[in-house]
């Protein structure tokens, strides 16, 4: 049974920090690229960061310099450290997994809400 379980969301003041975590199970974690995807009401879904199965990370322009994604293949977890948060970062944040040879996300978590206010 595949599961992606996010945690760490909450409400923070502008300029604050949060660390999101995602625990994965039910699939071969090391074979997947892992993403943090956010969606705010009325806005397009945005992949803010991803980390491939070698640990190489990429970021959306909105996240560069503020967010850091990391993964632990031994623990089957992926994290997103978010610093210098802005009201525009308010969204539901989802953990998503894409098999390295595929073109679409295959697994999703239930999301964790981040509110910057």
């Amino acid at each position: 049974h595949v599961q992606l379980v996010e945690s760490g969301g909450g409400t923070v003041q502008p300029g604050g920090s949060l660390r999101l975590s995602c625990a994965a199970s039910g699939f071969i974690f090391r074979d997947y690229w892992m993403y943090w995807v956010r969606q705010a009401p009325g806005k397009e879904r945005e992949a803010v960061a991803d980390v491939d199965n070698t640990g190489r990370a990429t970021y959306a322009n909105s996240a560069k310099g503020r967010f850091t994604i990391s993964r632990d293949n031994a623990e089957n977890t992926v994290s997103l450290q978010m610093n210098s948060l802005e009201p525009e970062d308010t969204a539901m944040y989802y953990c998503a997994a894409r098999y390295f040879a595929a073109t679409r996300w295959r697994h999703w978590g239930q999301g964790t809400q981040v509110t910057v206010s």
Side-chain angles (χ1 to χ4, degrees):
H1 177 59
V2 171
Q3 278 194 306
L4 291 173
V5 180
E6 301 98 333
S7 60
T11 300
V12 64
Q13 292 183 344
S17 298
L18 282 174
R19 185 177 181 85
L20 307 183
S21 295
C22 173
S25 60
F27 61 99
I28 302 174
F29 184 76
R30 65 179 180 273
D31 287 344
Y32 283 72
W33 291 35
M34 299 301 297
Y35 293 74
W36 284 98
V37 180
R38 69 185 182 187
Q39 188 157 27
K43 293 189 177 180
E44 297 269 329
R45 187 169 58 186
E46 178 186 26
V48 295
D50 68 82
V51 57
D52 71 14
N53 50 352
T54 71
R56 182 180 60 188
T58 57
Y59 298 93
N61 286 336
S62 60
K64 284 179 182 175
R66 300 187 301 128
F67 294 2
T68 303
I69 189 171
S70 59
R71 67 187 293 159
D72 184 334
N73 286 345
E75 297 292 329
N76 289 0
T77 58
V78 59
S79 298
L80 184 70
Q81 177 67 42
M82 304 187 294
N83 298 327
S84 303
L85 284 162
E86 304 166 351
E88 293 73 23
D89 296 315
T90 295
M92 185 71 78
Y93 283 71
Y94 298 91
C95 176
R98 177 174 67 82
Y99 185 62
F100 76 94
T103 58
R104 297 184 177 184
W105 292 303
R106 183 175 290 182
H107 307 306
W108 288 86
Q110 81 288 350
T112 187
Q113 177 68 38
V114 171
T115 302
V116 185
S117 175

